[in-house]
Amino acid sequence: MSDIAAGGGAQVPTLPPAAPEAPRLMRATSSAWIWALALAALAVAGAVVALRLASLQRSLTSVEQRAGEMAAMRANELAERQALQERIDAATRRTGQLEQELTLIAGRDTAADSELRHLREQQVLTEVDELLTLAASQLQVTHDPAAAITALSSADGRLARMPRAQFYALREALARDIERLRRTQVADVAGTAIRLDRLVQGPEGVDSWHLLADPTRRLALPPKPAANPAPTHMGWLGRELNDTLRDLVRIREVEAPDSLLLPADQQPLLREHLRVRLLMARQAMLMRNQTLFRTDLADSLAIINRYFDTSDPKVAFAVAQIKSLAAVAVDVPMPTLDDSLAALRAAHVP
Protein backbone atom coordinates (compact mmCIF):
# COMPACT_ATOMS: atom_id res chain seq x y z
CA MET A 1 0.00 0.00 0.00
CA SER A 2 1.24 3.63 -0.51
CA ASP A 3 2.12 5.74 2.32
CA ILE A 4 -0.55 8.11 3.32
CA ALA A 5 0.61 11.28 4.82
CA ALA A 6 -1.13 12.25 7.89
CA GLY A 7 -1.32 15.32 9.81
CA GLY A 8 1.31 15.74 12.40
CA GLY A 9 3.70 13.96 10.34
CA ALA A 10 2.80 10.64 11.92
CA GLN A 11 3.43 7.54 9.94
CA VAL A 12 0.49 5.07 9.49
CA PRO A 13 1.40 1.37 10.03
CA THR A 14 1.04 -0.88 7.05
CA LEU A 15 -1.42 -3.98 6.71
CA PRO A 16 -0.15 -7.49 7.56
CA PRO A 17 0.63 -9.67 4.63
CA ALA A 18 -2.04 -12.10 3.20
CA ALA A 19 -2.73 -15.47 4.95
CA PRO A 20 -0.92 -18.45 3.61
CA GLU A 21 -2.54 -21.15 1.31
CA ALA A 22 -2.55 -24.05 3.91
CA PRO A 23 -5.66 -23.06 5.89
CA ARG A 24 -7.55 -22.65 2.65
CA LEU A 25 -6.70 -26.13 1.60
CA MET A 26 -7.82 -27.52 4.94
CA ARG A 27 -11.15 -25.78 4.61
CA ALA A 28 -11.58 -27.13 1.15
CA THR A 29 -10.76 -30.65 2.32
CA SER A 30 -13.27 -30.39 5.22
CA SER A 31 -16.01 -29.28 2.86
CA ALA A 32 -15.28 -32.24 0.59
CA TRP A 33 -15.57 -34.68 3.46
CA ILE A 34 -18.81 -33.08 4.58
CA TRP A 35 -20.24 -33.44 1.10
CA ALA A 36 -19.01 -36.99 0.89
CA LEU A 37 -20.66 -37.84 4.23
CA ALA A 38 -23.82 -36.10 3.12
CA LEU A 39 -23.85 -38.05 -0.11
CA ALA A 40 -23.19 -41.28 1.78
CA ALA A 41 -26.02 -40.50 4.18
CA LEU A 42 -28.29 -39.76 1.26
CA ALA A 43 -27.26 -43.04 -0.37
CA VAL A 44 -27.98 -45.01 2.82
CA ALA A 45 -31.30 -43.26 3.25
CA GLY A 46 -32.16 -44.01 -0.37
CA ALA A 47 -31.28 -47.67 0.13
CA VAL A 48 -33.42 -47.87 3.27
CA VAL A 49 -36.27 -46.16 1.46
CA ALA A 50 -35.85 -48.57 -1.45
CA LEU A 51 -35.93 -51.58 0.91
CA ARG A 52 -38.99 -50.17 2.64
CA LEU A 53 -40.70 -49.57 -0.68
CA ALA A 54 -39.91 -53.16 -1.73
CA SER A 55 -41.36 -54.50 1.53
CA LEU A 56 -44.45 -52.35 1.08
CA GLN A 57 -44.75 -53.59 -2.47
CA ARG A 58 -44.64 -57.21 -1.30
CA SER A 59 -47.20 -56.48 1.40
CA LEU A 60 -49.40 -54.78 -1.14
CA THR A 61 -49.11 -57.75 -3.45
CA SER A 62 -50.04 -60.15 -0.59
CA VAL A 63 -52.99 -57.97 0.33
CA GLU A 64 -54.12 -57.95 -3.29
CA GLN A 65 -53.87 -61.77 -3.42
CA ARG A 66 -55.79 -62.09 -0.17
CA ALA A 67 -58.40 -59.67 -1.48
CA GLY A 68 -58.69 -61.79 -4.62
CA GLU A 69 -59.17 -64.96 -2.56
CA MET A 70 -61.76 -63.22 -0.38
CA ALA A 71 -63.54 -62.02 -3.50
CA ALA A 72 -63.56 -65.58 -4.90
CA MET A 73 -64.87 -66.96 -1.60
CA ARG A 74 -67.49 -64.25 -1.53
CA ALA A 75 -68.52 -65.15 -5.06
CA ASN A 76 -68.76 -68.85 -4.12
CA GLU A 77 -70.78 -68.00 -1.03
CA LEU A 78 -73.14 -65.88 -3.09
CA ALA A 79 -73.51 -68.73 -5.57
CA GLU A 80 -74.25 -71.22 -2.77
CA ARG A 81 -76.74 -68.84 -1.21
CA GLN A 82 -78.42 -68.42 -4.55
CA ALA A 83 -78.60 -72.21 -5.06
CA LEU A 84 -79.97 -72.68 -1.52
CA GLN A 85 -82.51 -69.97 -2.08
CA GLU A 86 -83.59 -71.68 -5.28
CA ARG A 87 -83.99 -74.98 -3.41
CA ILE A 88 -85.97 -73.24 -0.67
CA ASP A 89 -88.18 -71.65 -3.27
CA ALA A 90 -88.70 -75.04 -4.95
CA ALA A 91 -89.53 -76.67 -1.58
CA THR A 92 -91.92 -73.85 -0.81
CA ARG A 93 -93.67 -74.30 -4.11
CA ARG A 94 -93.86 -78.10 -3.55
CA THR A 95 -95.24 -77.53 -0.04
CA GLY A 96 -97.85 -75.24 -1.44
CA GLN A 97 -98.81 -77.85 -4.01
CA LEU A 98 -99.07 -80.54 -1.32
CA GLU A 99 -101.19 -78.27 0.83
CA GLN A 100 -103.47 -77.68 -2.07
CA GLU A 101 -103.71 -81.42 -2.73
CA LEU A 102 -104.40 -82.14 0.95
CA THR A 103 -107.04 -79.45 0.94
CA LEU A 104 -108.64 -81.07 -2.07
CA ILE A 105 -108.46 -84.53 -0.45
CA ALA A 106 -109.87 -83.22 2.84
CA GLY A 107 -112.67 -81.56 0.96
CA ARG A 108 -113.66 -84.70 -0.89
CA ASP A 109 -116.50 -86.99 0.13
CA THR A 110 -115.36 -89.47 2.88
CA ALA A 111 -117.97 -92.09 2.06
CA ALA A 112 -115.33 -94.54 0.81
CA ASP A 113 -113.31 -94.24 4.04
CA SER A 114 -116.44 -94.75 6.12
CA GLU A 115 -117.30 -97.86 4.13
CA LEU A 116 -113.81 -99.28 4.64
CA ARG A 117 -114.04 -98.67 8.38
CA HIS A 118 -117.45 -100.33 8.45
CA LEU A 119 -116.11 -103.39 6.63
CA ARG A 120 -113.14 -103.61 9.01
CA GLU A 121 -115.43 -103.56 12.05
CA GLN A 122 -117.65 -106.21 10.47
CA GLN A 123 -114.58 -108.37 9.88
CA VAL A 124 -113.50 -108.03 13.51
CA LEU A 125 -116.98 -109.00 14.71
CA THR A 126 -116.93 -112.02 12.40
CA GLU A 127 -113.59 -113.13 13.84
CA VAL A 128 -114.93 -112.68 17.37
CA ASP A 129 -118.01 -114.74 16.44
CA GLU A 130 -115.78 -117.58 15.18
CA LEU A 131 -113.67 -117.49 18.32
CA LEU A 132 -116.75 -117.60 20.55
CA THR A 133 -118.07 -120.57 18.58
CA LEU A 134 -114.72 -122.31 18.98
CA ALA A 135 -114.69 -121.63 22.73
CA ALA A 136 -118.24 -122.96 23.12
CA SER A 137 -117.33 -126.14 21.24
CA GLN A 138 -114.27 -126.64 23.44
CA LEU A 139 -116.49 -126.43 26.51
CA GLN A 140 -119.22 -128.72 25.23
CA VAL A 141 -117.12 -131.34 23.43
CA THR A 142 -113.75 -131.52 25.18
CA HIS A 143 -114.68 -129.81 28.48
CA ASP A 144 -111.46 -127.82 28.24
CA PRO A 145 -111.83 -124.39 29.93
CA ALA A 146 -108.18 -123.53 29.21
CA ALA A 147 -108.72 -123.68 25.44
CA ALA A 148 -111.93 -121.65 25.79
CA ILE A 149 -110.10 -119.01 27.85
CA THR A 150 -107.45 -118.76 25.14
CA ALA A 151 -110.10 -118.23 22.44
CA LEU A 152 -111.94 -115.60 24.49
CA SER A 153 -108.69 -113.75 25.28
CA SER A 154 -107.86 -113.68 21.58
CA ALA A 155 -111.30 -112.25 20.81
CA ASP A 156 -110.83 -109.56 23.47
CA GLY A 157 -107.44 -108.67 21.96
CA ARG A 158 -109.01 -108.13 18.55
CA LEU A 159 -111.69 -105.88 20.02
CA ALA A 160 -109.04 -103.89 21.93
CA ARG A 161 -107.58 -102.75 18.60
CA MET A 162 -110.97 -101.23 17.65
CA PRO A 163 -111.81 -98.66 20.37
CA ARG A 164 -115.50 -98.28 19.60
CA ALA A 165 -118.19 -97.57 22.16
CA GLN A 166 -120.46 -100.40 20.98
CA PHE A 167 -117.69 -102.92 21.76
CA TYR A 168 -117.35 -102.03 25.46
CA ALA A 169 -120.32 -104.15 26.57
CA LEU A 170 -119.00 -107.10 24.55
CA ARG A 171 -115.55 -106.81 26.15
CA GLU A 172 -117.11 -106.69 29.63
CA ALA A 173 -119.12 -109.85 28.88
CA LEU A 174 -115.94 -111.57 27.65
CA ALA A 175 -114.12 -110.59 30.83
CA ARG A 176 -116.92 -112.03 32.99
CA ASP A 177 -116.94 -115.31 31.07
CA ILE A 178 -113.14 -115.61 31.29
CA GLU A 179 -113.27 -115.09 35.06
CA ARG A 180 -116.09 -117.66 35.36
CA LEU A 181 -114.08 -120.21 33.37
CA ARG A 182 -111.02 -119.67 35.55
CA ARG A 183 -113.08 -120.62 38.62
CA THR A 184 -114.53 -123.75 36.98
CA GLN A 185 -113.41 -127.08 38.43
CA VAL A 186 -111.96 -129.41 35.81
CA ALA A 187 -111.95 -133.21 35.98
CA ASP A 188 -108.48 -134.70 36.11
CA VAL A 189 -108.84 -136.65 32.89
CA ALA A 190 -105.13 -137.23 32.42
CA GLY A 191 -104.62 -138.46 35.99
CA THR A 192 -107.62 -140.80 35.80
CA ALA A 193 -106.44 -142.20 32.49
CA ILE A 194 -102.96 -142.85 33.93
CA ARG A 195 -104.43 -144.70 36.93
CA LEU A 196 -106.54 -146.89 34.65
CA ASP A 197 -103.54 -147.59 32.40
CA ARG A 198 -101.57 -148.80 35.40
CA LEU A 199 -104.36 -151.23 36.23
CA VAL A 200 -104.52 -152.49 32.65
CA GLN A 201 -100.78 -153.00 32.16
CA GLY A 202 -97.59 -152.57 34.07
CA PRO A 203 -95.99 -154.22 37.06
CA GLU A 204 -99.25 -153.91 39.04
CA GLY A 205 -101.55 -154.68 36.11
CA VAL A 206 -104.08 -157.42 35.49
CA ASP A 207 -101.48 -159.98 34.45
CA SER A 208 -99.82 -159.85 37.86
CA TRP A 209 -102.99 -160.51 39.89
CA HIS A 210 -103.52 -163.97 41.38
CA LEU A 211 -106.64 -165.94 40.59
CA LEU A 212 -108.51 -168.09 43.09
CA ALA A 213 -108.28 -171.01 40.68
CA ASP A 214 -104.52 -170.76 40.33
CA PRO A 215 -103.18 -174.10 41.68
CA THR A 216 -99.76 -172.60 42.28
CA ARG A 217 -101.23 -169.92 44.51
CA ARG A 218 -101.31 -170.78 48.21
CA LEU A 219 -104.37 -169.24 49.81
CA ALA A 220 -103.92 -167.07 52.82
CA LEU A 221 -104.83 -168.42 56.21
CA PRO A 222 -108.20 -167.37 57.58
CA PRO A 223 -108.04 -165.09 60.60
CA LYS A 224 -107.49 -166.89 63.87
CA PRO A 225 -110.22 -166.64 66.51
CA ALA A 226 -109.48 -164.55 69.56
CA ALA A 227 -107.72 -166.56 72.26
CA ASN A 228 -109.41 -166.96 75.60
CA PRO A 229 -107.66 -165.09 78.40
CA ALA A 230 -107.32 -168.28 80.51
CA PRO A 231 -107.53 -171.34 78.24
CA THR A 232 -107.99 -174.72 79.83
CA HIS A 233 -105.75 -177.66 79.20
CA MET A 234 -108.22 -179.25 76.77
CA GLY A 235 -108.74 -175.95 75.03
CA TRP A 236 -105.03 -175.57 74.43
CA LEU A 237 -104.83 -179.10 73.09
CA GLY A 238 -107.76 -178.54 70.76
CA ARG A 239 -106.19 -175.32 69.43
CA GLU A 240 -102.91 -177.06 68.70
CA LEU A 241 -104.73 -179.88 66.92
CA ASN A 242 -106.73 -177.37 64.90
CA ASP A 243 -103.55 -175.54 63.80
CA THR A 244 -101.96 -178.80 62.77
CA LEU A 245 -104.95 -179.82 60.69
CA ARG A 246 -105.18 -176.36 59.19
CA ASP A 247 -101.67 -176.74 57.72
CA LEU A 248 -102.80 -179.94 56.05
CA VAL A 249 -106.25 -178.88 54.86
CA ARG A 250 -107.34 -175.25 54.42
CA ILE A 251 -110.97 -174.37 54.24
CA ARG A 252 -111.97 -170.98 52.88
CA GLU A 253 -115.35 -169.58 52.03
CA VAL A 254 -115.77 -167.81 48.67
CA GLU A 255 -118.75 -166.05 47.16
CA ALA A 256 -118.71 -168.10 43.96
CA PRO A 257 -117.38 -171.62 44.45
CA ASP A 258 -117.25 -172.15 40.68
CA SER A 259 -114.48 -169.55 40.47
CA LEU A 260 -112.18 -172.12 42.05
CA LEU A 261 -112.93 -174.49 39.18
CA LEU A 262 -111.96 -172.08 36.40
CA PRO A 263 -109.90 -174.07 33.86
CA ALA A 264 -106.36 -172.99 33.13
CA ASP A 265 -107.09 -172.36 29.44
CA GLN A 266 -109.85 -169.87 30.34
CA GLN A 267 -107.79 -167.87 32.82
CA PRO A 268 -106.08 -165.75 30.08
CA LEU A 269 -109.52 -165.08 28.60
CA LEU A 270 -110.75 -163.91 31.99
CA ARG A 271 -107.79 -161.54 32.35
CA GLU A 272 -108.36 -160.22 28.82
CA HIS A 273 -112.05 -159.70 29.55
CA LEU A 274 -111.19 -157.70 32.69
CA ARG A 275 -108.65 -155.67 30.72
CA VAL A 276 -111.28 -154.85 28.10
CA ARG A 277 -113.73 -153.70 30.80
CA LEU A 278 -111.11 -151.36 32.25
CA LEU A 279 -110.32 -149.99 28.77
CA MET A 280 -114.05 -149.43 28.19
CA ALA A 281 -114.17 -147.49 31.46
CA ARG A 282 -111.25 -145.40 30.22
CA GLN A 283 -113.03 -144.71 26.94
CA ALA A 284 -116.24 -143.74 28.78
CA MET A 285 -114.20 -141.36 30.94
CA LEU A 286 -112.77 -139.69 27.82
CA MET A 287 -116.31 -139.41 26.43
CA ARG A 288 -117.45 -137.76 29.69
CA ASN A 289 -120.07 -140.47 30.12
CA GLN A 290 -120.38 -140.70 33.89
CA THR A 291 -122.97 -143.50 33.89
CA LEU A 292 -121.09 -145.80 31.53
CA PHE A 293 -117.82 -145.06 33.32
CA ARG A 294 -119.15 -146.15 36.71
CA THR A 295 -120.94 -149.16 35.21
CA ASP A 296 -117.71 -150.46 33.65
CA LEU A 297 -115.85 -149.95 36.91
CA ALA A 298 -118.56 -151.76 38.85
CA ASP A 299 -118.41 -154.71 36.41
CA SER A 300 -114.64 -154.80 36.70
CA LEU A 301 -114.85 -154.79 40.49
CA ALA A 302 -117.39 -157.63 40.41
CA ILE A 303 -115.07 -159.74 38.22
CA ILE A 304 -112.16 -159.12 40.56
CA ASN A 305 -114.13 -160.06 43.67
CA ARG A 306 -115.45 -163.21 41.97
CA TYR A 307 -112.33 -164.69 40.37
CA PHE A 308 -109.30 -163.03 41.95
CA ASP A 309 -107.69 -163.49 45.33
CA THR A 310 -108.47 -160.30 47.21
CA SER A 311 -105.94 -161.24 49.87
CA ASP A 312 -103.21 -160.60 47.30
CA PRO A 313 -101.75 -157.13 47.99
CA LYS A 314 -101.82 -156.22 44.30
CA VAL A 315 -105.46 -157.26 43.97
CA ALA A 316 -106.36 -155.39 47.16
CA PHE A 317 -104.61 -152.29 45.78
CA ALA A 318 -106.51 -152.62 42.48
CA VAL A 319 -109.82 -152.92 44.34
CA ALA A 320 -109.03 -149.77 46.33
CA GLN A 321 -108.05 -147.92 43.12
CA ILE A 322 -111.26 -148.90 41.32
CA LYS A 323 -113.42 -147.81 44.26
CA SER A 324 -111.57 -144.51 44.35
CA LEU A 325 -112.00 -144.01 40.59
CA ALA A 326 -115.71 -144.73 40.82
CA ALA A 327 -116.07 -141.70 43.06
CA VAL A 328 -114.39 -139.38 40.52
CA ALA A 329 -116.71 -137.03 38.62
CA VAL A 330 -115.77 -137.13 34.94
CA ASP A 331 -118.77 -135.16 33.66
CA VAL A 332 -118.29 -131.76 35.32
CA PRO A 333 -120.85 -129.27 33.98
CA MET A 334 -119.23 -126.46 31.99
CA PRO A 335 -120.50 -122.86 32.05
CA THR A 336 -122.06 -121.42 28.93
CA LEU A 337 -121.09 -118.32 26.95
CA ASP A 338 -124.62 -116.93 26.67
CA ASP A 339 -123.63 -113.48 27.97
CA SER A 340 -120.85 -113.06 25.43
CA LEU A 341 -123.03 -114.32 22.57
CA ALA A 342 -125.83 -111.94 23.53
CA ALA A 343 -123.39 -109.01 23.73
CA LEU A 344 -122.00 -109.98 20.33
CA ARG A 345 -125.45 -109.85 18.78
CA ALA A 346 -126.03 -106.44 20.38
CA ALA A 347 -122.68 -105.01 19.16
CA HIS A 348 -123.95 -104.13 15.70
CA VAL A 349 -121.99 -101.60 13.68
CA PRO A 350 -124.06 -98.55 12.70
Side-chain angles (χ1 to χ4, degrees), residues 44-117:
V44 171
V48 172
V49 171
L51 292 175
R52 183 62 177 171
L53 289 176
S55 177
L56 291 175
Q57 185 66 31
R58 288 193 298 272
S59 300
L60 181 61
T61 302
S62 177
V63 170
E64 290 177 354
Q65 292 178 355
R66 183 64 177 170
E69 294 176 357
M70 293 295 294
M73 293 176 63
R74 180 65 177 173
N76 292 332
E77 184 179 356
L78 291 176
E80 292 178 357
R81 286 185 178 180
Q82 185 176 0
L84 181 60
Q85 186 63 37
E86 291 177 356
R87 293 174 61 184
I88 292 174
D89 294 340
T92 302
R93 290 193 298 272
R94 180 60 180 167
T95 302
Q97 293 176 0
L98 292 176
E99 290 179 353
Q100 293 177 359
E101 293 177 0
L102 290 175
T103 302
L104 293 176
I105 293 174
R108 291 175 184 174
D109 188 12
T110 59
D113 295 338
S114 177
E115 183 65 22
L116 289 175
R117 185 172 61 253

Side-chain angles (χ1 to χ4, degrees), residues 123-305:
Q123 180 183 359
V124 170
L125 289 178
T126 302
E127 293 176 355
V128 172
D129 189 6
E130 293 177 355
L131 290 171
L132 285 176
T133 303
L134 176 61
S137 64
Q138 292 292 333
L139 292 176
Q140 299 301 323
V141 177
T142 63
H143 291 67
D144 189 1
I149 290 174
T150 302
L152 295 182
S153 299
S154 180
D156 185 69
R158 283 170 170 76
L159 292 174
R161 294 195 293 268
M162 302 290 293
R164 297 294 301 275
Q166 66 267 25
F167 295 160
Y168 293 161
L170 177 56
R171 295 191 63 189
E172 291 178 355
L174 290 174
R176 289 194 299 269
D177 286 339
I178 290 174
E179 186 63 26
R180 189 182 303 112
L181 290 174
R182 287 176 178 172
R183 295 195 301 265
T184 302
Q185 295 181 357
V186 183
D188 188 9
V189 177
T192 304
I194 291 173
R195 294 169 66 182
L196 286 172
D197 290 339
R198 289 178 178 176
L199 294 178
V200 172
Q201 58 187 359
E204 299 179 355
V206 175
D207 294 332
S208 64
W209 301 346
H210 292 287
L211 292 166
L212 291 174
D214 187 2
T216 62
R217 174 65 178 168
R218 188 173 182 182
L219 300 179
L221 293 175
K224 295 181 180 181
N228 296 325
T232 62
H233 180 70
M234 295 301 295
W236 174 81
L237 181 60
R239 187 171 62 253
E240 289 295 330
L241 182 60
N242 188 20
D243 293 341
T244 302
L245 294 176
R246 190 185 320 179
D247 291 337
L248 297 176
V249 179
R250 295 185 180 179
I251 300 174
R252 181 176 177 182
E253 295 181 359
V254 294
E255 296 180 359
D258 56 340
S259 62
L260 298 174
L261 303 176
L262 184 68
D265 57 342
Q266 294 184 7
Q267 293 179 8
L269 297 178
L270 177 64
R271 294 181 187 275
E272 189 64 26
H273 177 68
L274 178 59
R275 183 180 294 107
V276 170
R277 299 299 296 186
L278 292 174
L279 290 176
M280 290 177 61
R282 184 179 187 275
Q283 185 65 25
M285 183 267 301
L286 295 177
M287 295 173 58
R288 309 288 178 171
N289 193 329
Q290 185 76 46
T291 303
L292 187 58
F293 173 70
R294 291 181 177 176
T295 300
D296 291 332
L297 290 180
D299 293 343
S300 301
L301 187 60
I303 294 173
I304 293 174
N305 290 328

